[in-house]
Amino acid sequence: MNFISTHGNTPPTSIDSALVAGLAPDGGLYVPERIPALADMRPRATLADTAYAVLAPYFAVSSLRDHLTDICAQAFSFDAPLRPLAGEGDHLLELFYGPTAAFKDYAARFLAGALAALRVPEAPTTTILVATSGDTGAAVAAAFHRRPGFEVVILYPDGRVSPRQAHGLECWGDNVRTFRVAGSFDDCQRLAKQALADEALRRARALTSANSISLGRLLPQAAYYAHAALRFRAEHGVALNLIVPTGNLGNACAALLARRMGLPIGDIRLATNANDVLPRYFAGGGYAPQPTRATLANAMDVGAPSNFERLRQWHDNDDGALRAAVRADAVDDATIRDIIHAAPVRHGIVPCPHTATGLHLLERLRAQGDTRPWAVVATAHPAKFETIVEPLVGHAVVPPRALADCLRRPASAHALANDYGALHRRLQAENR
Ligand SMILES: *Cc1c(COP(=O)(O)O)cnc(C)c1O
């Protein structure tokens, strides 16, 4: 299996080089040349087994082939349970039992395992530079923490993440360095892009990113959808419909990929926060990126969803076909607050602000008389957003064990001016 670029100007390449490269040389995103079919796949005992079965076709020609079982076992070592909610047919797909209590842990750990296995022992240390709005940086830091041959540099917008998100970004040490930038997430992203495009810097050190455009962050996410849907069909005889809280479209693309592989997934609905580029597009408007707006669901504060190109390419760049395949709705902050406040009584759970956008879509579908089984994807644990969630539900929310472990570690970050010169000096100073 080869991988091609959404821009079409890169020769087909192996999964190994696509993983190492991240972005294709022509500036496009890598996608599989064809999508393998797993229509007759049977449910597997564990999430790791399912992950292996789903990912194996993509790694059929790869030096990672013989490592894939181990990489999946390590990345998918915590469960992704499908929990029934209070309402008939309502479910929550809980993806928050990893070290940083968000779904990004699965794929970040997969990518780390894959890059570690691809690494040549005597190669210079690879610096992974991540701009984060809160969750990505923590997941990448946790995944690469203490891995020989790698160091992680995190840039996050000072004061714009929750206190526990900040802790999750700052509690690693060793080969992880965290900078709180005096600026917005967009500023952090601009600084990271500038460094990644800095030829002189790249000559001096092996620099790469680990953002959600990497195939290593995208493909593994199909595993938990496959696992949940296969088990659901075995038990109930029907496909599971999915509501995915969405920002950069990484998790949503994985759900679509799983469905296109023939796994028993029915409808897919996307929930965004007030950043409504996708809802406008799916309602028939053009695709018009906007400046990012800050919302309560900060990990979804995206004005130009980076995986949109993949979604379009999978539908032959035909807007009509794409609009027929998925739909998206925006949920504003006032509604997010209402949903969090009402969820313990209505659904029997406390949701994080991101998950709340999905719950709102579920409520709308039920109000319209939809009786199909739906799973809302719970993208993070509510304890990670305690300053928003706790006042709304009126009690403390206990962190899951892995997050509690991380919160017990000491945390520290370096302040960084919103200025490329400052970042460049820090990266140079720490050169080995
Ligand atoms: C990253 C993130 C999202 C958005 O996921 P995308 O793959 O960017 O669409 C939603 N919720 C949480 C908690 C996240 O961390």
Side-chain angles (χ1 to χ4, degrees):
M1 159 104 48
N2 273 322
F3 293 79
I4 54 175
S5 162
T6 50
H7 288 189
N9 296 317
T10 297
T13 190
S14 71
I15 183 80
D16 296 9
S17 37
L19 286 178
V20 171
L23 198 66
D26 63 6
L29 310 188
Y30 280 116
V31 288
E33 208 166 32
R34 60 181 175 78
I35 295 179
L38 290 179
D40 47 12
M41 184 172 159
R42 307 180 66 79
R44 306 288 156 120
T46 66
L47 178 59
D49 292 344
T50 307
Y52 176 81
V54 168
L55 294 169
Y58 298 100
F59 288 85
V61 185
S62 164
S63 61
L64 293 176
R65 206 175 69 160
D66 298 335
H67 299 276
L68 194 60
T69 313
D70 283 349
I71 296 172
C72 289
Q74 284 174 25
F76 292 91
S77 59
F78 42 93
D79 206 8
L82 185 66
R83 177 193 297 281
L85 296 178
E88 176 77 27
D90 296 352
H91 300 80
L92 198 67
L93 180 57
E94 296 181 337
L95 303 182
F96 49 57
Y97 293 106
T100 72
F103 75 89
K104 293 186 177 80
D105 281 324
Y106 293 104
R109 286 153 60 95
F110 183 94
L111 178 67
L115 292 184
L118 285 170
R119 191 183 134 75
V120 183
E122 60 278 12
T125 297
T126 298
T127 301
I128 296 173
L129 181 60
V130 205
T132 183
S133 62
D135 283 350
T136 301
V140 170
F144 284 92
H145 184 223
R146 294 187 177 154
R147 276 196 192 266
F150 294 92
E151 66 167 355
V152 176
V153 173
I154 298 173
L155 308 177
Y156 85 84
D158 196 2
R160 301 194 197 201
V161 305
S162 82
R164 282 187 182 158
Q165 268 182 315
H167 200 105
L169 292 164
E170 297 180 358
C171 69
W172 303 102
D174 303 314
N175 63 335
V176 177
R177 263 177 283 272
T178 307
F179 294 97
R180 45 189 170 81
V181 176
S184 65
F185 168 59
D186 290 340
D187 293 325
C188 295
Q189 217 164 11
R190 189 176 43 74
L191 292 174
K193 277 192 179 148
Q194 209 169 338
L196 287 161
D198 184 333
E199 289 300 330
L201 187 66
R202 297 190 68 145
R203 271 197 298 279
R205 60 193 306 134
L207 195 63
T208 185
S209 85
N211 61 22
S212 75
I213 52 133
S214 165
L215 270 182
R217 293 270 317 275
L218 177 73
L219 301 177
Q221 298 179 152
Y224 40 74
Y225 295 121
H227 195 62
L230 287 167
R231 283 157 59 118
F232 190 83
R233 185 177 59 185
E235 201 174 322
H236 302 278
V238 289
L240 184 62
N241 304 285
L242 294 173
I243 301 173
V244 188
T246 295
N248 262 323
L249 278 168
N251 212 6
C253 272
L256 254 109
L257 184 69
R259 186 172 71 181
R260 295 195 63 148
M261 291 177 79
L263 293 155
I265 294 165
D267 256 1
I268 299 173
R269 299 291 174 97
L270 312 182
T272 72
N273 58 25
N275 292 279
D276 60 356
V277 175
L278 294 169
R280 282 169 188 270
Y281 167 81
F282 283 105
Y287 176 70
Q290 299 165 357
T292 305
R293 274 188 270 172
T295 76
L296 293 174
N298 66 4
M300 291 158 47
D301 289 349
V302 175
S306 51
N307 280 294
F308 185 72
E309 269 184 49
R310 281 196 171 110
L311 214 55
R312 223 177 203 168
Q313 208 263 0
W314 284 341
H315 296 87
D316 302 321
N317 299 310
D318 174 348
D319 290 331
L322 175 51
R323 290 193 182 109
V326 235
R327 282 177 50 179
D329 291 280
V331 181
D332 64 19
D333 274 358
T335 310
I336 289 175
R337 281 201 186 85
D338 288 347
I339 296 283
I340 295 172
H341 175 71
V345 169
R346 272 190 219 152
H347 303 286
I349 52 144
V350 175
C352 87
H354 313 80
T355 308
T357 64
L359 276 178
H360 178 63
L361 258 58
L362 175 65
E363 291 182 8
R364 283 223 294 234
L365 286 159
R366 294 301 183 219
Q368 291 159 6
D370 192 305
T371 57
R372 293 172 294 169
W374 286 92
V376 172
V377 177
T379 51
H381 193 279
K384 200 169 179 178
F385 302 91
E386 79 286 7
T387 51
I388 297 168
V389 172
E390 290 181 352
L392 289 166
V393 297
H395 59 81
V397 180
V398 180
R401 181 140 50 93
L403 178 61
D405 287 347
C406 146
L407 294 174
R408 267 196 297 275
R409 307 159 72 112
S412 74
H414 312 276
L416 188 76
N418 179 10
D419 163 45
Y420 181 63
L423 174 62
H424 187 262
R425 278 192 297 279
R426 298 308 283 256
L427 288 173
Q428 287 288 29
E430 283 152 11
N431 204 352
R432 319 196 157 144

